[in-house]
């Protein structure tokens, strides 16, 4: 059984920063791709950033230069450093972890950016 637990969300003013963390526990010791998605009210869930086991990254255009994804494979943890936050970044953020063609999801953490 696999569990992903996120932390680090909250309320921040525009221009501020937050750091999200997501730790995977359970029977899998090595995940392939890991990532962060977000879903704003009334919108579809979108990929924010992804990272491979070897550290290759990709970002949605709207966060390039502001967000940084990283991971610690020994801790099975993925991070999302978010800087220069904007009100349009407000959403529930979900971490994901892939193994053997299965995508596991965290429960989500709310990020709210006030203007």
């Amino acid at each position: 059984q696999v569990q992903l637990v996120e932390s680090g969300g909250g309320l921040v003013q525009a221009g501020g920063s937050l750091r999200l963390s997501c730790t995977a526990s359970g029977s899998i010791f090595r995940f392939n791709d890991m990532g962060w998605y977000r879903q704003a009210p009334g919108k579809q869930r979108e990929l924010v950033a992804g990272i491979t086991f070897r550290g290759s990254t990709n970002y949605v255009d709207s966060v390039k230069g502001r967000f940084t994804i990283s991971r610690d494979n020994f801790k099975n943890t993925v991070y999302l450093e978010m800087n220069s936050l904007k009100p349009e970044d407000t959403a529930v953020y979900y971490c994901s972890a892939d193994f053997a063609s299965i995508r596991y999801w965290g429960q989500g953490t709310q990020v709210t950016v006030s203007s």
Side-chain angles (χ1 to χ4, degrees):
Q1 196 169 4
V2 175
Q3 187 175 19
L4 303 183
V5 179
E6 297 132 336
S7 61
L11 173 64
V12 64
Q13 288 188 331
S17 299
L18 285 173
R19 187 187 195 217
L20 305 183
S21 299
C22 173
T23 298
S25 61
S27 56
I28 297 174
F29 298 100
R30 171 181 162 166
F31 291 93
N32 298 323
D33 295 347
M34 301 183 80
W36 289 95
Y37 288 72
R38 67 185 178 188
Q39 187 167 19
K43 295 187 177 181
Q44 289 188 333
R45 189 175 296 190
E46 67 169 351
L47 174 65
V48 176
I51 185 168
T52 67
F53 180 80
R54 296 187 181 277
S56 296
T57 60
N58 63 285
Y59 299 89
V60 67
D61 286 347
S62 60
V63 307
K64 286 180 180 178
R66 300 189 298 121
F67 291 11
T68 302
I69 188 170
S70 60
R71 64 188 286 175
D72 184 331
N73 291 330
F74 292 104
K75 296 181 179 179
N76 257 347
T77 298
V78 62
Y79 306 95
L80 186 67
E81 185 76 34
M82 305 185 294
N83 298 314
S84 301
L85 282 161
K86 304 175 181 180
E88 50 264 44
D89 295 318
T90 295
V92 178
Y93 284 70
Y94 300 89
C95 71
S96 68
D98 296 349
F99 181 79
S101 301
I102 296 174
R103 175 159 294 167
Y104 298 90
W105 294 97
Q107 80 286 355
T109 186
Q110 177 70 46
V111 171
T112 303
V113 185
S114 63
S115 56

